[in-house]
Amino acid sequence: MLAVRVIPCLDVAAGRVVKGTRFVDLVDEGDPPELAERYAAAGADELVFLDITAAPEGRGTLLDIVERTARKAFVPLTVGGGVRSVREMRDVLRAGADKVSLNTAAVATPDLVRRCARRFGSQAVVVAIDARRRSGPPGGAPGWEVVVKGGREGTGLDAVAWAARAAALGAGELLVTSIDRDGTQSGYDTALLRAIADRVPVPVVASGGAAGPADFVAAVRDGGASAVLAASIFHRRQHSIAAVKAAMAAAGLPVRPVPGVAA
Amino acid sequence: MTRIAVVDYGAGNLVSIDQALRVAGASVVIARRPADLEGADGLVVPGVGAAAPAMARLARRGLVGPIRAWIAADRPFLGICLGMQLLFDGSDEDGAVTFGILAGRSELLRDAPRLPHIGWNAVRRTRDHPVFDGIAPDAPFYFVHSYAPRPSGASAPAITLAVTDHGADFVSAVARGRLVGVQFHPERSGRDGLRLLARFVSLVAAWPLDAAAVAAGAAAGPPGRAEAPAPRSEP
């Protein structure tokens, strides 16, 4: 049975892993490949690097980090942040990434999703969707708007409709972040996850708001997520990956045992 | 040192397989043209994506004939993911005609709850094979694919090595003679993945020659088999 993936997300800026409430109050956390190796050894099922600077002049640094990580951590690596073309995606894959996540560029040019999927296969194309809750009609269901540029800019797009379109264009996976919950440790937006998971045939990765093991369980059970991503609770060592997996297993979810730790 | 040629036909990340084979104790040559296969002891065809463009790129690089000849000579071969699917007759994904070395076609995982099948899943062995020595009979490996080969014909049970469940069982590993194919990614499957690659590398150096015994699932391997070196670093 396919295990629910637990995925630490590493924010990378100028070649270093940083932490902070996303994009502000950044604190240097260390060398990305070293941290990646540590997380892999601790039982991470995959790793995500998010290049939060995503400046064109920093691409060389990012590619070097990706390659050094791929040579140290033998678990899958997804890289996101600033990829705007088939050629840029090719460079990141060549450096050692298994998947590339497209966000702002996919919203601006949806056909990029189709072209990348055709060139590299759907399995390599993740579309990252940052969503913000908006109030629906009185008495109606809530809705979510797609936001870009780290949540600073609205798009008017409905997040669930965009998710369905991205999957139809060839995205092999959707990384769904609740911008309202991100960095708040108030739990995933399970209604958002469920709305999207019910509309698409591809796996949905939950992101934004995890505070503890119960949130991971809820993202899968209530939200229908296939994988759970978190940053701060792992970086701050509030919960180990092993503890999160143990809680998920206790709740009856299939997880991959942490190597070296009895299931 | 055992030399492994890894075929590069522009189908994704080669860094992980290159590094994993090095950690497994091999010297690695990235093969982009037929001449690159000279001097290699073992051949690895990795790859993700669709079959038709992969076959076209292999053909453009003049590698279809040399790969076919390599396998026909029963030289050590490992196909990973798409590299395994290409061994069969064809793929339903795009109607591609592939090597046709093993009978069967790659089919969509029709009963899957979600596709692509992405993540760690149990690889349940249906018989013993030395490439899995030291690995639990249902160890999880990392998958990322939507299609998988369905072996057909009289040889199907004999070549099937392992199955995996994603809505229904599909064949996740095959072997015949000195050929091994895996649908998962050992280079992305942590410690057990490195162990499998280390086993392959040591088999390349000293494969138990009795292919019939391997195919029959001989419980005990022939004597004198080389032991796999321990991976130099744990992921």
Side-chain angles (χ1 to χ4, degrees):
Chain A
M1 188 162 188
L2 184 61
V4 177
R5 288 166 283 154
V6 176
I7 307 174
C9 177
L10 301 153
D11 287 350
V12 177
R16 304 287 289 178
V17 172
V18 292
K19 74 177 184 191
T21 305
R22 212 176 245 188
F23 308 111
V24 293
D25 301 328
L26 302 179
V27 179
D28 189 326
E29 270 290 282
D31 186 38
E34 278 173 28
L35 280 165
E37 190 178 20
R38 202 163 80 203
Y39 278 122
D45 295 316
E46 272 185 36
L47 295 164
V48 169
F49 277 179
L50 189 60
D51 179 10
I52 63 169
T53 47
E57 61 270 20
R59 300 315 280 181
T61 311
L62 179 70
L63 296 180
D64 174 63
I65 288 170
V66 170
E67 171 153 5
R68 285 194 295 127
T69 301
R71 291 193 183 278
K72 274 196 158 173
F74 295 97
V75 298
L77 176 63
T78 300
V79 175
V83 172
R84 282 169 295 254
S85 67
V86 171
R87 176 173 289 263
E88 285 175 342
M89 175 159 175
R90 184 202 63 186
D91 291 344
V92 175
L93 293 178
R94 273 206 186 153
D98 299 282
K99 301 186 253 184
V100 166
S101 103
L102 305 169
N103 189 337
T104 304
V107 172
T109 317
D111 192 55
L112 178 65
V113 177
R114 191 186 57 82
R115 283 184 279 124
C116 287
R118 199 171 55 183
R119 174 71 181 82
F120 308 107
S122 285
Q123 85 295 326
V125 182
V126 179
V127 168
I129 299 175
D130 293 346
R132 174 173 286 146
R133 211 174 253 261
R134 59 182 170 197
S135 43
W144 296 267
E145 180 189 9
V146 176
V147 294
V148 293
K149 303 197 174 156
R152 293 189 299 273
E153 209 175 288
T155 64
L157 283 174
D158 175 69
V160 178
W162 168 234
R165 183 160 180 226
L169 284 165
E173 185 164 79
L174 302 175
L175 169 56
V176 178
T177 302
S178 162
I179 287 294
D180 310 294
R181 304 291 179 90
D182 199 29
T184 65
Q185 300 209 337
S186 57
Y188 295 105
D189 187 340
T190 53
L192 167 67
L193 296 168
R194 175 54 72 183
I196 290 179
D198 282 350
R199 275 287 294 277
V200 299
V202 301
V204 170
V205 183
S207 163
D215 296 323
F216 292 84
V217 173
V220 178
R221 268 206 192 148
D222 306 334
S226 298
V228 285
L229 176 142
S232 37
I233 78 157
F234 295 135
H235 302 333
R236 293 176 191 156
R237 298 173 195 252
Q238 291 164 329
H239 297 277
S240 69
I241 293 169
V244 165
K245 286 191 172 182
M248 292 168 76
L253 300 178
V255 293
R256 177 178 71 107
V258 174
V261 177
Chain B
M1 194 180 242
T2 304
R3 281 170 59 115
I4 306 285
V6 176
V7 176
D8 175 12
Y9 54 108
N13 157 22
L14 284 183
V15 174
S16 336
I17 184 65
D18 172 68
Q19 183 67 17
L21 285 166
R22 287 172 197 274
V23 170
S27 91
V28 179
V29 184
I30 301 298
R32 299 188 174 89
R33 57 189 71 78
D36 296 335
L37 304 187
E38 281 168 25
D41 305 304
L43 183 59
V44 173
V45 176
V48 291
M55 288 304 290
R57 286 195 293 268
L58 285 172
R60 216 176 299 141
R61 295 184 177 199
L63 285 163
V64 172
I67 291 173
R68 191 184 294 285
W70 183 284
I71 295 170
D74 197 24
R75 301 183 69 187
F77 178 93
L78 174 63
I80 297 173
C81 193
L82 180 61
M84 171 209 198
Q85 295 180 14
L86 294 180
L87 298 171
F88 289 82
D89 296 318
S91 173
D92 286 352
E93 183 168 12
D94 50 16
V97 175
T98 51
F99 279 94
I101 290 161
L102 301 176
R105 294 185 62 77
S106 294
E107 299 177 354
L108 188 70
L109 300 176
R110 250 171 269 287
D111 301 311
R114 280 180 195 274
L115 288 178
H117 174 225
I118 300 179
W120 298 76
N121 204 337
V123 172
R124 289 152 35 221
R125 293 212 290 286
T126 54
R127 61 184 169 98
D128 286 334
H129 190 284
V131 84
F132 278 101
D133 277 1
I135 295 172
D138 58 353
F141 286 85
Y142 187 81
F143 290 84
V144 50
H145 65 121
S146 295
Y147 288 77
R150 183 190 291 274
S152 63
S155 65
I159 67 166
T160 299
L161 196 52
V163 296
T164 294
D165 173 39
H166 187 50
D169 277 354
F170 65 90
V171 173
S172 52
V174 295
R176 191 186 80 186
R178 293 188 178 110
L179 170 152
V180 175
V182 292
Q183 181 58 63
F184 52 85
H185 291 268
E187 75 281 13
R188 281 312 204 198
S189 294
R191 203 187 318 211
D192 279 335
L194 292 178
R195 196 166 281 144
L196 184 143
L197 291 169
R199 287 298 305 147
F200 177 73
V201 170
S202 62
L203 284 169
V204 167
W207 204 294
L209 287 183
D210 191 349
V214 170
R225 190 166 69 219
E227 279 308 305
R232 285 205 303 271
S233 73
E234 293 294 340

